[in-house]
């Protein structure tokens, strides 16, 4: 492309994988486009979609409909839809939205510049090809002062949980070659970055099919050894594939944060089996107990679906009981919604919307209590905070995260952005903590030495 750069606005729905994909879209388009956060002045408007729940898909369709007005006022605007809904719907999206120029699937990002060029010549296009292997990745660049980044290490999933559309819209599981991953992390650290989150639908099974066999834990070890890395995280883990080797790594690798997202989905064995999750509640709780022995300060988050087909009040009570036993610090909970192509969509015994809503309300009340209790237990402690920027409410306040992922706000100079500082936690709030910076850095990790470490009630 030649001439002044045009502006691209990217609206992202869904998970961290989609956030990483949107960053990649901006990178592959960088030769001809600069990102803007003002959709009304964009030359190219991309919607990166999520199909994991019906509600997310409905939001995409609603936004797409509303953009007809913008397109009428700016006919030169190119409008594209990418991601999981694009992969799932393909031509149907184009047919349903005459103002849409481009539909590209989950593996179409590297072809985006060419697709945009062709769409700019008046072609309406669909590219939803799913090729075998890990798709090629462009070399990444980070803005000066970048503090943390997401690094995709695998794509797709082979698990076929009965409720989940991912294997159909992102394809089968493919691991990214370790050299590429380590090179990307090293580049980020050389640019001054501090925190890396490794991403994949099921990172625990990383390495299958690679020419150089490597377990996920070994990949973590290699990354942990890179100079300059302060914090390492990963998402998402499948409980069945959480190995003893990986659990042990939480007690061994200095950069690996004491924070794990381990989606349980249900506390009922009957429902877990219908979901094709491949573990029982006792197996899940045994792993949680082992993790807490290895890493007593671990903060644990999860995903839970309520109202899966056939879920009775007894099944739901088992979920509430598991939530209490596991002592989650944070959880994402949702009402089940049938997704195209999935086996659960064919199951009878649908739970009514009213019952789903009532159960979700009870579950979220419990989860909110647990999150607040976890925050309260931290009050009075001194913890390391990675300062990420100014707080949402006030430019005078700084905002950062603990290694255990809780948000902390405190007063301090802007020069601390990007720094690791010690903060005494003074107030617990439902979604965050407040604190004051301390100069004395003598009280640090690990929590294993902390006599007031939280006591968890576990079944084993
Ligand atoms: S592990 Fe299950 S829920 Fe997660 S992406 Fe794969 S199929 Fe979906």
């Amino acid at each position: 492309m030649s001439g002044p750069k045009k502006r691209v606005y990217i609206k992202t729905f869904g998970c961290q994988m989609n956030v990483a994909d949107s960053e990649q879209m901006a990178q592959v388009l960088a030769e001809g486009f600069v990102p803007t956060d003002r959709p009304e002045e964009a030359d190219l408007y991309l919607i990166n979609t999520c199909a994991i729940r019906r509600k997310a898909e409905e939001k995409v369709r609603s936004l797409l409909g509303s953009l007809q007005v913008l397109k009428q006022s700016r006919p030169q605007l190119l409008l594209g839809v990418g991601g999981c809904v694009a992969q799932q719907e393909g031509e149907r999206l184009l047919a349903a939205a005459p103002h849409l120029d481009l539909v590209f699937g989950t593996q179409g990002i590297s072809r985006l510049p060419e697709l945009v060029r062709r769409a700019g010549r008046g072609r309406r296009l669909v590219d939803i090809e799913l090729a075998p292997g890990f798709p090629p990745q462009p070399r990444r660049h980070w803005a000066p002062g970048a503090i943390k980044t997401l690094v995709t290490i695998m794509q797709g999933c082979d698990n076929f949980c009965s409720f989940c559309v991912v294997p159909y819209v992102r394809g089968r599981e493919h691991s990214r070659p370790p050299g590429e991953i380590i090179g990307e992390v090293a580049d980020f650290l050389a640019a001054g970055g501090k925190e890396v989150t490794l991403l994949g639908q099921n990172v625990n099974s990383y390495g299958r099919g690679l020419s150089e066999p490597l377990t996920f834990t070994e990949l973590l070890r290699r990354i942990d050894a890179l100079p300059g890395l302060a914090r390492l995280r990963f998402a998402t883990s499948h409980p069945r594939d959480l190995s003893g080797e990986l659990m042990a790594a939480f007690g061994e690798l200095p950069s690996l944060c004491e924070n794990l997202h381990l989606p349980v989905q249900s506390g009922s064995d009957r429902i877990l089996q219908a979901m094709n999750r491949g573990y029982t509640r006792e197996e899940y709780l045994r792993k949680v107990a082992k993790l807490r022995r290895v890493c007593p300060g671990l903060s644990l988050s999860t995903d839970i679906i309520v109202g899966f087909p056939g879920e009775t009040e007894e099944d739901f009570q088992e979920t509430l009981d598991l939530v209490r036993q596991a002592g989650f610090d944070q959880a994402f909970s949702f009402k089940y919604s049938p997704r195209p192509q999935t086996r659960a969509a064919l199951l009878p015994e649908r739970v009514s919307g009213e019952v789903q809503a009532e159960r979700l309300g009870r579950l979220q009340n419990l989860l909110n209590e647990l999150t607040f209790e976890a925050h309260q237990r931290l009050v009075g402690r001194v913890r390391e905070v990675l300062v990420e920027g100014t707080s949402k409410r006030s430019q005078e306040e700084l905002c950062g995260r603990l290694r255990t992922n809780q948000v902390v706000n405190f007063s301090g100079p802007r020069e601390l952005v990007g720094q690791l500082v010690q903060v005494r936690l003074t107030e617990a709030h439902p979604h965050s903590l407040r604190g004051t910076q301390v100069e004395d850095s003598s009280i640090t990790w690990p929590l294993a030495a902390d006599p007031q470490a939280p006591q968890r009630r576990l079944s084993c």
Side-chain angles (χ1 to χ4, degrees):
M1 294 187 188
S2 59
K5 288 192 180 183
K6 295 182 174 179
R7 284 161 293 196
V8 56
Y9 175 80
I10 305 176
K11 172 73 182 170
T12 306
F13 288 91
C15 60
Q16 283 183 309
M17 290 289 288
N18 270 17
V19 173
D21 285 351
S22 291
E23 275 179 24
Q24 199 187 342
M25 289 176 200
Q27 299 249 339
V28 299
L29 291 167
E31 201 184 313
F33 290 88
V34 286
T36 176
D37 54 7
R38 295 168 59 89
E40 65 280 7
E41 48 174 57
D43 303 289
L44 173 62
Y45 190 130
L46 299 177
I47 309 173
N48 189 8
T49 61
C50 172
I52 201 90
R53 273 172 282 282
R54 191 166 54 201
K55 201 168 168 189
E57 191 177 328
E58 284 166 0
K59 279 188 197 168
V60 169
R61 290 185 189 280
S62 161
L63 172 63
L64 188 54
S66 71
L67 288 174
Q68 210 164 356
V69 179
L70 184 63
K71 180 84 177 180
Q72 275 163 2
S73 67
R74 306 190 65 210
Q76 78 283 10
L77 171 72
L78 288 179
L79 184 55
V81 174
C84 294
V85 176
Q87 189 69 45
Q88 178 187 289
E89 297 298 313
E91 293 278 356
R92 288 194 292 271
L93 264 185
L94 215 55
H99 56 297
L100 181 60
D101 300 290
L102 173 62
V103 176
F104 59 103
T106 51
Q107 291 188 7
I109 299 174
S110 60
R111 299 185 291 272
L112 201 47
E114 176 57 19
L115 293 170
V116 169
R117 256 191 296 277
R118 288 166 59 200
R121 290 188 215 116
R123 294 275 309 276
R124 297 183 76 218
L125 300 163
V126 175
D127 177 348
I128 52 169
E129 186 189 336
L130 281 181
F134 192 87
Q137 305 290 297
R139 178 106 191 244
R140 291 179 66 184
H141 303 280
W142 289 270
I147 299 163
K148 55 186 197 173
T149 196
L150 305 170
V151 173
T152 303
I153 65 163
M154 59 197 302
Q155 291 242 341
C157 185
D158 288 349
N159 282 330
F160 292 92
C161 299
S162 66
F163 55 84
C164 182
V165 75
V166 164
Y168 307 99
V169 293
R170 288 200 176 256
R172 304 303 292 264
E173 182 181 299
H174 294 292
S175 294
R176 186 178 181 190
E180 274 188 31
I181 297 167
I182 291 164
E184 188 167 306
V185 174
D187 284 351
F188 173 66
L189 298 176
K194 297 274 195 312
E195 177 177 309
V196 171
T197 301
L198 306 178
L199 289 184
Q201 256 79 31
N202 180 18
V203 291
N204 302 356
S205 66
Y206 174 84
R208 287 184 201 150
L210 283 174
S211 53
E212 175 202 353
L214 191 76
T215 65
F216 178 56
T217 311
E218 187 51 39
L219 178 70
L220 289 177
R221 282 189 218 291
R222 292 191 192 180
I223 293 173
D224 176 71
L226 293 172
L229 180 63
R231 293 182 174 190
L232 180 57
R233 304 183 192 273
F234 58 83
T236 293
S237 286
H238 192 296
R240 187 198 53 216
D241 297 326
L242 184 67
S243 66
E245 184 196 23
L246 179 54
M247 287 191 257
F250 279 96
E252 292 167 8
L253 303 182
S255 69
L256 186 59
C257 289
E258 296 74 12
N259 173 225
L260 177 66
H261 187 64
L262 195 63
V264 67
Q265 306 299 4
S266 171
S268 154
D269 284 341
R270 217 172 57 80
I271 298 299
L272 286 172
Q273 192 172 15
M275 288 176 164
N276 191 33
R277 290 292 287 175
Y279 53 85
T280 64
R281 60 177 279 134
E282 285 310 310
E283 285 165 351
Y284 183 92
L285 287 169
R286 258 201 304 275
K287 289 193 173 181
V288 169
K290 183 165 182 186
L291 280 161
R292 294 208 188 280
R293 281 196 296 274
V294 171
C295 182
L298 186 84
S299 86
L300 193 65
S301 60
T302 199
D303 295 335
I304 299 172
I305 295 172
V306 299
F308 187 81
E311 184 191 76
T312 62
E313 176 61 25
E314 268 179 15
D315 294 316
F316 178 64
Q317 287 295 335
E318 294 210 56
T319 297
L320 295 179
D321 182 66
L322 180 139
V323 163
R324 288 189 199 97
Q325 290 198 49
F328 296 116
D329 296 80
Q330 203 192 1
F332 304 93
S333 50
F334 311 94
K335 290 186 274 186
Y336 168 78
S337 59
R339 306 311 300 135
Q341 303 178 71
T342 60
R343 278 192 289 136
L346 305 173
L347 289 174
E349 297 183 75
R350 290 276 171 82
V351 178
S352 74
E354 292 76 35
V355 171
Q356 284 187 322
E358 192 273 333
R359 288 181 189 164
L360 186 65
R362 273 189 283 161
L363 174 64
Q364 289 184 338
N365 285 342
L366 173 60
L367 292 169
N368 289 341
E369 274 174 35
L370 290 174
T371 300
F372 189 49
E373 283 172 21
H375 289 180
Q376 285 176 315
R377 282 194 297 269
L378 285 165
V379 171
R381 316 294 174 82
V382 175
R383 290 286 181 271
E384 177 197 275
V385 173
L386 176 56
V387 186
E388 296 180 2
T390 50
S391 123
K392 275 188 198 153
R393 293 213 177 135
S394 161
Q395 291 293 302
E396 313 304 313
E397 289 241 310
L398 299 176
C399 180
R401 281 184 189 265
L402 304 181
R403 285 174 63 97
T404 42
N405 213 27
Q406 291 89 354
V407 173
V408 176
N409 296 302
F410 66 102
S411 298
R414 276 166 174 255
E415 296 71 57
L416 290 180
V417 173
Q419 307 282 315
L420 293 161
V421 298
Q422 296 292 323
V423 172
R424 183 177 300 282
L425 303 166
T426 54
E427 285 174 37
H429 297 276
H431 304 293
S432 64
L433 290 125
R434 276 198 62 79
T436 50
Q437 190 192 354
V438 294
E439 299 307 325
D440 176 8
S441 302
S442 58
I443 310 169
T444 54
W445 216 254
L447 269 181
D450 186 342
Q452 296 176 62
Q455 297 298 308
R456 304 284 188 177
R457 192 157 55 86
L458 288 168
S459 63
C460 45

